[in-house]
Every structure is written in structure tokens, then in C-alpha cells.
Amino acid sequence: ILFGTDGVRGIANTELTGALAYNLGRAGAYVLTKECSHAPKILVGTDTRISADMLESALVAGICSVGAHAVIAGIVPPPAVAYLVRKYNLDAGVVISASHNPVEYNGIKFFNRDGYKLRDELEDEIEELLLNDLSTVPSPTGSQLGTKRLAEDALDEYIDFLTSTTDTKFNGIKVAIDCANGASYKAAPIALLNLGASVCIIHNEPDGNNINDNCGSTHMDDLCEFVKE
């Protein structure tokens, strides 16, 4: 079984290889957009892991190889992809992330055009294509190939959405944030600052290798001490 409860996950470059990411891009783009009457567009977001560049490049190549267009959101929290797929009226979304897992892991998770995780039947259809070497997936040529473009305002638009969900101002509230050197390292502080909070931040300097390294949801000691200090 390829798909778990949260997409396809494994150790990057041994279990979740560039070749697998390419094939997932091909199969996923085909399954999620084959009913489209237009050239489909798929949003791609990543977290801060060092393997994101490799996997994003391979995944985007797979998406373009079936004639779909990739829209690159860059480093954004996974819920941003779910939201922006709907806002931009795109046909699907993909997140490259392994959440709270150590840096050597990564994952690929698809969203449908409504920003929701895929039904089991669609994941089964993608797996079936991979098992059959994608023999029925088209390989267009020339002007029918897909392209990629950057969604330069993706993070700002997600932050604007977050702050629009409350009428409450956080003036006078002092908030400590552990960003886990992960995908929310920009969005979380900016959203709270925009709402008026006084923000104190730790672990917000990702270098590709320090995501969840003695920080984040599985290592709470630093945050507990920080709050008390």
C-alpha cells in the first residue's frame, strides 16, 4: 500500500525517491484532472526540509509531463495549499511535507479542487496506475506539455485569510511561538503580529536540516521554558 493516512510518506531518497515523486506527479495529475475540459493547473507547496527541492522538482516534472501546469506556492503551511486551491480556482493541490517527523522523512499529499484530502477510491486509482507502470497515462509533446509558474503572493494571501477569520484583536496579549523551523515559520508570527499580539519566537531559522530538531510538537520542553521565562 502506497498511501497512508496522510498521503505517501517515507525516508526521502530511499523510500520516497525522486522517481516515485515523478510518477506520483504523473499519476496524480492525470487522475485528478482527467475530467477537465481545459489545461489543468495544480498548486504545489512544501515545508522547509532539505529534500523538498529534489521532490518538488521531480513532482513538478511529472505534473508537466501529462500536460498539466504547476503553480508553485513555495514554503507554506499545508492548510495554505488547501485554502489557495479554492481561492485561485485551481484543479488540485499537492503538499510536500512530513509534518512532525524528523528531517530525513518527507511526504506527498494531494488535495482535490475543493481543498480536501482525496477519497480512498482516488488514491486507489493513483496506486493502480503506478502498479501498471503508468501505461495508460498520456505523454503529450510540443505545445501540449505543461509549464510551471510561481504564485508570488501565496503566503501573503494565506496570512490575510487567517487574520480575516476573527474580529478579535490580540492587543495586550503576549504570545510565545515555537515555529519548529518548519513551514509556519513566517505565517504564524506575521498573522499574530497583524492581529496585534506581542510575539516572542523560538526555532524560526530553518536551514533545511533543523526542522523538528528538539523543537515543535514532539519536543515541547523549550517552549514550556520559554513561556515561563
Side-chain angles (χ1 to χ4, degrees):
I1 295 175
L2 198 59
F3 285 88
T5 54
D6 221 17
V8 178
R9 283 193 176 171
I11 295 175
N13 214 31
T14 57
E15 297 169 343
L16 183 55
T17 62
L20 178 54
Y22 173 76
N23 287 335
L24 281 167
R26 278 179 62 76
Y30 175 67
V31 167
L32 289 171
T33 65
K34 62 185 175 182
E35 307 300 327
C36 287
S37 56
H38 57 271
K41 296 184 172 109
I42 298 175
L43 188 70
V44 180
T46 75
D47 68 16
T48 58
R49 292 164 203 276
I50 192 170
S51 57
D53 288 345
M54 174 190 77
L55 294 173
E56 181 189 73
S57 297
L59 181 87
V60 167
I63 289 170
C64 294
S65 77
V66 296
H69 301 295
V71 181
I72 309 300
I75 295 171
V76 291
V81 173
Y83 167 72
L84 292 168
V85 163
R86 295 197 303 272
K87 178 175 175 62
Y88 294 158
N89 196 28
L90 302 179
D91 301 289
V94 193
V95 169
I96 300 172
S97 175
S99 302
H100 61 279
N101 286 293
V103 65
E104 62 266 25
Y105 289 85
N106 218 325
I108 294 175
K109 177 165 68 175
F110 290 93
F111 295 97
N112 64 21
R113 63 183 309 144
D114 297 316
Y116 290 99
K117 288 199 292 186
L118 301 192
R119 302 191 315 274
D120 290 345
E121 307 90 82
L122 285 175
E123 291 185 344
D124 291 344
E125 193 175 342
I126 292 170
E127 280 198 21
E128 190 66 28
L129 285 172
L130 291 171
L131 289 171
N132 290 304
D133 296 323
L134 293 93
S135 56
T136 58
V137 176
S139 294
T141 60
S143 62
Q144 301 305 304
L145 282 166
T147 58
K148 75 169 184 178
R149 69 173 178 84
L150 297 179
E152 294 180 0
D153 297 325
L155 184 64
D156 290 338
E157 295 198 75
Y158 179 59
I159 292 169
D160 289 344
F161 163 69
L162 289 179
T163 55
S164 75
T165 61
T166 179
D167 294 325
T168 303
K169 293 302 178 188
F170 294 179
N171 297 330
I173 298 175
K174 194 173 185 182
V175 183
I177 311 175
D178 176 0
C179 293
N181 296 311
S184 297
Y185 83 102
K186 287 184 180 178
I190 294 171
L192 286 166
L193 284 167
N194 288 352
L195 288 168
S198 173
V199 178
C200 304
I201 313 164
I202 54 173
H203 303 305
N204 67 323
E205 296 181 355
D207 62 9
N209 293 301
N210 60 359
I211 187 170
N212 302 319
D213 185 13
N214 291 314
C215 57
S217 62
T218 55
H219 299 89
M220 300 289 287
D221 290 350
D222 279 6
L223 183 60
C224 292
E225 287 302 314
F226 191 52
V227 169
K228 287 188 287 187
E229 285 171 21

